[in-house]
Amino acid sequence: MIRQTVLFRALCALLLLSASLAMSFPARAELHIDVTQGQIAPMPIAIPVFGSQDSKTAQNASDIVQVLSADLERSGLFKPIDPNAFVDRDAASHIPPRYGDWRTINAQALITGSVATDSDGKLEIEFRLWDVFAETQLTGLKYTTTQANWRRISHIIADAVYKRLTGEDGYFDTRIVYIAESGPLDHRIKRLAIMDQDGANHKYLTDGNALVLTPRFSPSTQEITYLSYARGTPRVYLFNIDTGQQEVLGDFPGMTFAPRFSPDGNKVIMSTTVGAASEIYTLDLRTRRATQLTDTPAIDTSPCYSPDGSQIVFNSDRGGSQQVYVMNADGSNIHRISFGDGRYGTPVWSPRGDLIAFTKIDNGQFYIGVMHPDGSGERLLTNGFLVEGPTWAPNGRVLMFFRQTPATDRSGHGASSKLYTIDLTGYNEREVVTPGEASDPAWSPLIP
Amino acid sequence: MPERRDFIYSATLHLLVVLSFLVTLPSLFNRHDDQETPIVVQLVNLGPQTLATQRNLTPPVPDKPVAVATPAQPQPTPPTPPTAAAAPPPPPPMPKPSDTAQLPKPPLAKPDINPQPSQDLQKQQQDLAFNALLKNLAAKKLPQDTSQQANAKPQQSSQPVAPLGAQLSVSEIDLVREQIEKCWNVPAGARNAQNLTPEFRVTMNPDGTVQNAVQLNPERNNDPFFLAAADSARRALLNPACQPLKLPPEKYNQWQTFTITFDPKDIS
């Protein structure tokens, strides 16, 4: 009996012990934190002057850094740090960089580089992009080019930096073709002009004898299609940038307008008047054969291909008011996608395919906006007395357009027309400086 | 009769033993249940006092022998752009096309100008990009920390953990979250930003500075958007302006390591 009691107690004790043992290891899960909010602020980046061989390359080095810095700053995503704040005054000769010196001025990224000339007199330009906090090199490239090309290399470097830090292709090594305007409003001279994306290398392509409108780049960036009144009636023309040659596109009875290249560059899509209506046609550039895509008594115009070439967005008043429609590339399956207040025009499909930019007129105000190809998610980015002609940067993140301000008196004083860019986020609207008045910009693809 | 009693005893005891196994065994081996005990928030207020007395905490981690230089690793990044650029370079603006033709060469940055890393370099090349990354990061932060404490003290475990209040409270976690959010420059406007969710395991020093941050999903970094998002998240964690993190020192063992996910879905 006693033995049994002892045994029983012992067992009870064992039980208790094992129970308390199990509980003495409290469950402890590793701490986890979810960060779902952040800042939308430009990243501080340090771009010390590149190293150089001699006084000549020193000038190149300083110019390159200036262009590179301006490119990145203009994007709104980067904030180049004032060189006066630099602790390391000889950054070019420190590889790897003295990270501590850059951390103290809160530089998150750093670009160092050097410029030299090789035996042929060509420039050798190299750069490295560093992550200051992680203390790693993010990318590093070297280019060899002629002296004259230093500016393009600066843009190419800016593109490489942009790409590495955002994941997105850059858009700095691109050009803009636009309509340069001058003279009084009733005798306006409009010329085709071309320049680098940052306004450099500006050049007029036509002499201003004939009115020109709506220029658009070919995917190869070597040709421009546009509308000209050269022979009295408005016609769609093709302009070769290298040769300066111009030719009329197609043999349509009515006027032709609103041209754009297909994504493969083999076709131009445009509108042509048929009586009081206008229809959408494509013209094959090799066979010169025209194909009609729409056939209604309405005004169908401003056609633009989707980047994969499978669909076309255009505007039409077939429903009573001017709205945006999408159809297949063969003209089938036409459906309306804009349903907001007001009228919609000049739809342009984003090069990355996810959005369509448009102009909207509502209550006497003009807006530039974007929506998804199914018409959802309409977002208005900017507005004004007259904002028109959106065109996408090749990476689909930035839009350029022109903004007109009204004249303050009857003689037309005070009126102006200028080019602007705005980020897809709706922030960072900037003027694109041109020598004179400007309208109808078209952004080239990245220069091949 | 006694046999019967014995039998009953035996049966009961066996039953008890079996029961005790059933009850205790699962939890014996399963310590990963997540048990959030946010209830004890008030007790946390004791923290500051504890902190005052316990101030002797020393963050350091023994300085690793590695030279650290992790210098220019030119090879690891033979990015694509150059190849693209190397392609046919048609004429830019005005410059003669023929000149432009030789334009951008594919090369990467010049080879190592500094000799020291040769050994490291070799190693790095062998490693996957991912491993190289881990190594770099691990080697990194050290020099900074060591400088702070030439007079390193043995950095023993902070102190016995009080059973109550030992868990981080929700408000304490929120504080850190906010701190990191202020330093995170989000990839605004990126396509499909909602899928860009880099995750890190962060190892902390007792003084609240980040010792290192290792990405847990580096396999997704071959997407340039994801890579850029991961880099921006890492910068948020490593940004000295955002440290030390405001974590209660007396609960160091709770936050010595933690995992963190950056998820921009609510932003753009």
Side-chain angles (χ1 to χ4, degrees), chain A residues 19-37:
Chain A
S20 61
L21 248 179
M23 290 166 71
S24 67
F25 297 108
R28 184 165 77 85
E30 187 173 28
L31 173 63
H32 182 82
I33 299 177
D34 272 313
V35 174
T36 57
Q37 296 293 323

Side-chain angles (χ1 to χ4, degrees), chain A residues 257-258 270-273 276-281 293-303 314-319 323 325 327 334:
Chain A
F257 53 100
M270 63 179 100
S271 294
T272 181
T273 50
S278 76
E279 307 298 348
I280 293 171
Y281 279 77
L293 295 180
T294 62
D295 185 10
T296 63
I299 294 173
D300 297 334
T301 186
S302 301
F314 63 101
N315 72 42
S316 171
D317 64 357
R318 60 181 66 202
Q323 299 290 339
Y325 291 76
M327 63 181 171
I334 298 180

Side-chain angles (χ1 to χ4, degrees), chain A residues 118-163:
Chain A
D118 67 7
S119 49
D120 298 338
K122 288 194 169 163
L123 283 180
E124 286 182 347
I125 304 166
E126 66 169 54
F127 81 96
R128 293 164 192 256
L129 171 66
W130 309 89
D131 187 319
V132 173
F133 298 158
E135 302 191 354
T136 49
Q137 176 179 311
L138 296 175
T139 187
L141 294 165
K142 182 173 174 178
Y143 307 91
T144 306
T145 185
T146 54
Q147 290 280 346
N149 267 334
W150 66 268
R151 182 176 274 276
R152 228 195 121 189
I153 295 297
S154 312
H155 294 315
I156 290 173
I157 293 175
D159 281 334
V161 170
Y162 185 96
K163 164 105 183 164

Side-chain angles (χ1 to χ4, degrees), chain A residues 322-355:
Chain A
Q322 193 182 322
Q323 299 290 339
V324 179
Y325 291 76
V326 170
M327 63 181 171
N328 293 343
D330 61 2
S332 64
N333 189 26
I334 298 180
H335 57 282
R336 175 175 163 181
I337 63 164
S338 66
F339 291 95
D341 297 334
R343 291 180 290 135
Y344 293 77
T346 52
V348 194
W349 216 303
S350 154
R352 66 184 195 189
D354 58 343
L355 291 170

Side-chain angles (χ1 to χ4, degrees), chain B residues 49-73:
Chain B
Q49 295 164 2
T50 326
L51 172 126
T53 52
Q54 300 285 350
R55 220 9 186 168
N56 65 340
L57 298 178
T58 38
V61 178
D63 209 359
K64 285 188 191 155
V66 198
V68 164
T70 37
Q73 29 174 139

